[in-house]
Amino acid sequence: MKEFVRTIVDYPIKGIQFRDITTLLQKADLYKQLIDEMTEPWAKTQIDAIVSIEARGFIMAGAIAYKLDTAFIPMRKPDKLPGETFKVKFDLEYGTTEMHLHKDALDDHKNILIIDDLLATGGTALAAVKLIQMFKNKNIVGAGFIINLPNLGGENLLNNMKVKTHSLMEF
Ligand code: AMP
């Protein structure tokens, strides 16, 4: 799968090597393999809901939730969720943003898996962890990604917070 991830240099700003997964997703057999391999590590774990990170996390999280029989909870950028939300501001590898979860999104769910496409500095995944921690009595079982950029420290950051991580490849 790794050879189908396209690297675009200096996108969206100078100095970033953008790992483009669209070239992987456009292969039907590889999309299927991707979903199967992202699901497999969590198949024997009790998971009630997947918190998925806008927007590229949604591409995998819906299919993984279907396979694991879990709920699908979108974590979204400002002004997207219509109900009352909890929110967290955070820094990205490039820029800063804010993420929201509906305050009632996890009412029926205890064991939560986080899904996104790529783990870089961990700022985005950490925002998901902090948002989930705003709810009472939740257990974050782990966080799954297609790509990990270990040199940027996100994996260590999550592991230090006792959040288990899994990724299919590293750059
Ligand atoms: P971070 O918060 O630094 O871990 O960044 C992770 C988020 O930013 C993910 O949702 C990615 O979609 C996006 N992202 C960060 N760095 C890259 C990169 N080099 N290539 C592609 N996407 C990236």
Side-chain angles (χ1 to χ4, degrees):
M1 282 189 276
K2 191 173 174 178
E3 67 190 72
F4 285 90
V5 174
R6 171 167 60 186
T7 298
I8 301 193
V9 178
D10 294 336
Y11 181 89
I13 57 166
K14 205 165 170 48
I16 302 290
Q17 295 200 59
F18 191 87
R19 308 300 178 177
D20 176 19
I21 57 166
T22 63
T23 39
L24 169 60
L25 302 172
Q26 72 197 28
K27 301 275 175 204
D29 55 337
L30 294 185
Y31 179 68
K32 192 173 170 59
Q33 185 184 339
L34 173 75
I35 297 303
D36 287 345
E37 290 189 14
M38 284 186 84
T39 304
E40 199 276 331
W42 314 105
K44 293 193 169 68
T45 308
Q46 174 63 44
I47 297 172
D48 307 310
I50 293 181
V51 165
S52 172
I53 300 176
E54 180 173 353
R56 273 168 273 159
F58 297 172
I59 297 165
M60 293 75 65
I64 297 168
Y66 182 84
K67 279 186 74 109
L68 291 176
D69 289 314
T70 75
F72 175 93
I73 313 292
M75 183 177 108
R76 301 214 59 184
K77 292 171 184 157
D79 303 320
K80 300 287 186 192
L81 294 171
E84 270 192 59
T85 61
F86 290 122
K87 62 181 170 196
V88 166
K89 252 206 178 94
F90 65 101
D91 294 324
L92 291 169
E93 195 183 354
Y94 34 86
T96 153
T97 189
E98 197 177 274
M99 283 292 180
H100 292 242
L101 277 178
H102 268 145
K103 284 187 176 174
D104 61 0
L106 302 181
D107 282 358
D108 301 328
H109 311 302
K110 180 171 171 59
N111 301 294
I112 315 292
L113 173 65
I114 297 166
I115 292 288
D116 200 4
D117 66 326
L118 183 145
L119 179 60
T121 65
T124 311
L126 188 63
V129 170
K130 284 183 181 163
L131 268 172
I132 294 164
Q133 286 173 341
M134 289 177 175
F135 297 78
K136 286 195 188 83
N137 297 322
K138 302 304 170 192
N139 171 38
I140 300 173
V141 301
F145 307 88
I146 305 174
I147 298 167
N148 178 27
L149 308 181
N151 294 341
L152 293 178
E155 184 179 32
N156 281 341
L157 187 75
L158 292 180
N159 294 163
N160 288 341
M161 295 190 70
K162 308 269 179 276
V163 176
K164 218 197 282 181
T165 53
H166 176 268
S167 58
L168 298 183
M169 64 185 83
E170 294 186 345
F171 284 92

